[in-house]
Amino acid sequence: GQGGIRIPAVACTSPTANTAKVVFMKTREGGMNLHYKRWEMPEPLMYEIEVPAAGQYALTANVVTVNRDQFFLVTANDAKEPVRMEMPYTVGKWGATAPVTVSLTKGMNKLSFNRTVIPDFIKEGYKFAGPEYGGITIKDFVLKPVK
């Protein structure tokens, strides 16, 4: 694709090392991907992104999934409501998500990618989460101004 701001998935400000939920993975080509595991409690992926102009941006991700109905909840800065970002079912191959729109300010912005926690989830209960909580491997995110 032409233009846009590409953010490597591993360039998150939090976490910065492997956690129970998030794994930084070396690729065969020598790059790095981030894997958001199926098990364990949700943990936000936090990014700081600088954009040249305020406005609406289309956000996409390059991902691998092995389950249907995957999603992230994306919050830009202090937005009241997160945007649900659906993940394609890629059957273990790389694929791009459909764009979602986020509102950004000129300069530095914070983006958070998370999942819902069912209120009465206990730690053990999460181990039995349905396939919609399956793992997602992410290469990068792309932001493009909405014309």
Side-chain angles (χ1 to χ4, degrees), residues 38-40 118 121 124-134:
R38 175 173 181 174
W39 313 118
E40 309 306 335
I118 297 154
F121 250 170
E124 286 309 299
Y126 208 76
K127 297 215 183 306
F128 305 99
E132 70 275 16
Y133 288 98

Side-chain angles (χ1 to χ4, degrees), residues 4-47:
I5 300 166
R6 191 171 293 277
I7 304 118
V10 293
C12 40
T13 56
S14 172
T16 55
N18 292 348
T19 66
K21 185 70 175 176
V22 177
V23 184
F24 292 78
M25 297 167 38
K26 272 202 168 61
T27 66
R28 284 191 291 273
E29 303 77 45
M32 293 285 287
N33 294 326
L34 190 146
H35 183 67
Y36 198 82
K37 293 197 297 199
R38 175 173 181 174
W39 313 118
E40 309 306 335
M41 292 294 280
E43 174 177 0
L45 299 174
M46 306 293 292
Y47 294 84

Side-chain angles (χ1 to χ4, degrees), residues 53-120:
Q56 305 286 303
Y57 284 78
L59 171 70
T60 56
N62 291 303
V63 300
V64 172
T65 62
V66 292
N67 296 101
R68 296 178 194 283
D69 304 320
Q70 300 293 343
F71 66 95
F72 276 118
L73 297 175
V74 184
T75 306
N77 299 314
D78 51 5
K80 301 280 178 285
E81 286 294 315
V83 179
R84 190 178 164 103
M85 186 180 199
E86 303 289 345
M87 299 289 123
Y89 176 44
T90 71
V91 204
K93 298 181 171 59
W94 287 105
T97 63
V100 296
T101 303
V102 291
S103 202
L104 302 179
T105 57
K106 182 182 162 122
M108 205 48 92
N109 290 264
K110 285 185 170 14
L111 279 184
S112 154
F113 296 81
N114 208 348
R115 284 186 169 168
T116 45
V117 182
I118 297 154
D120 56 356

